[in-house]
Amino acid sequence: MAILTIPKENRTINEPAAIADYLAGIGVDYEIWEPSASVAADAPAEEILTAYSTEIEKLKEGGGYVTADVIDVKPQTQGLDEMLAKFNREHWHDDDEVRFIIEGRGLFHLHPKDAPVVAVEVEAGDLIRVPAGFLHWFNLCADRRIRAIRLFKDPAGWTPHYTASGVDGDFQPLCFGASYIPALAQ
Ligand SMILES: [Fe+2]
């Protein structure tokens, strides 16, 4: 499950309900999802979307999302570095950024207007919804692997708008989960 850190306060939160509470306080939704039917993490995208259709429909209704797809990022994905470079600088979107993690992990840094920057490391089972306009940036962990369901109101709304604040440079993209130790050993 997710790990939340508040680097400026030297604070870490591991307990899912406490993570959800903290994130709700800054306007970000966090939930843990279990599929209604069991599905393999490497199943075809259509099977993944079917297995989570109840939850996806609920989100679509509540958030006005119209489409869902599955993004599949692997170390050998072509153009991966260019793709990552688009999202590892502080930005916002006109649409919500909704991700449900199927496999792998990733690190969101969230920059609320009047609270310290929070790092949320997400992994399989975690759903995060970063609202439109909320400043954030994203890194993969050392295994450079993430598979996630994405929901959109309008795919065009997901274009990043950069702040160029440089604040992202003040935070190390450190993951603390399973992939952290291999990264140190490299
Ligand atoms: Fe983003």
Side-chain angles (χ1 to χ4, degrees):
M1 295 301 109
I3 301 170
L4 184 150
T5 54
I6 308 153
K8 283 222 166 106
E9 296 179 356
N10 242 333
R11 199 170 144 205
T12 300
I13 304 176
N14 293 294
E15 206 268 311
I19 290 174
D21 274 357
Y22 189 92
L23 290 178
I26 61 167
V28 171
D29 290 336
Y30 169 77
E31 290 175 30
I32 294 175
W33 275 12
E34 274 174 36
S36 353
S38 76
V39 61
D42 60 352
E46 281 313 311
E47 277 180 36
I48 301 263
L49 293 172
T50 302
Y52 288 97
S53 56
T54 310
E55 293 85 351
I56 289 170
E57 286 312 311
K58 226 183 280 173
L59 279 171
K60 280 185 177 174
E61 270 172 38
Y65 309 113
V66 292
T67 55
D69 70 4
V70 177
I71 184 170
D72 204 350
V73 175
K74 299 172 178 168
Q76 61 271 31
T77 296
Q78 233 181 355
L80 179 57
D81 286 321
E82 291 78 3
M83 186 199 296
L84 294 175
K86 285 187 190 169
F87 302 116
N88 67 7
R89 291 176 283 143
E90 187 176 64
H91 64 272
W92 81 93
H93 308 278
D94 296 326
D95 201 347
D96 298 347
E97 184 162 332
V98 188
R99 297 290 179 273
F100 170 66
I101 316 303
I102 305 292
E103 194 177 44
R105 53 184 59 239
L107 187 68
F108 283 91
H109 276 88
L110 307 170
H111 188 182
K113 280 201 181 79
D114 33 24
V117 170
V118 177
V120 188
E121 185 178 328
V122 290
E123 64 174 9
D126 291 324
L127 170 82
I128 188 164
R129 190 180 68 86
V130 182
F134 200 107
L135 303 185
H136 65 280
W137 61 97
F138 177 82
N139 297 90
L140 283 182
C141 297
D143 54 4
R144 292 161 72 85
R145 169 71 176 137
I146 196 160
R147 192 172 198 210
I149 296 175
R150 309 187 293 185
L151 287 123
F152 301 99
K153 288 177 187 160
D154 170 5
W158 201 54
T159 307
H161 303 295
Y162 298 104
T163 64
S165 68
V167 72
D168 42 274
D170 297 340
F171 296 86
Q172 291 282 328
L174 288 181
C175 294
F176 293 93
S179 57
Y180 186 57
I181 291 165
L184 279 178
Q186 277 171 5

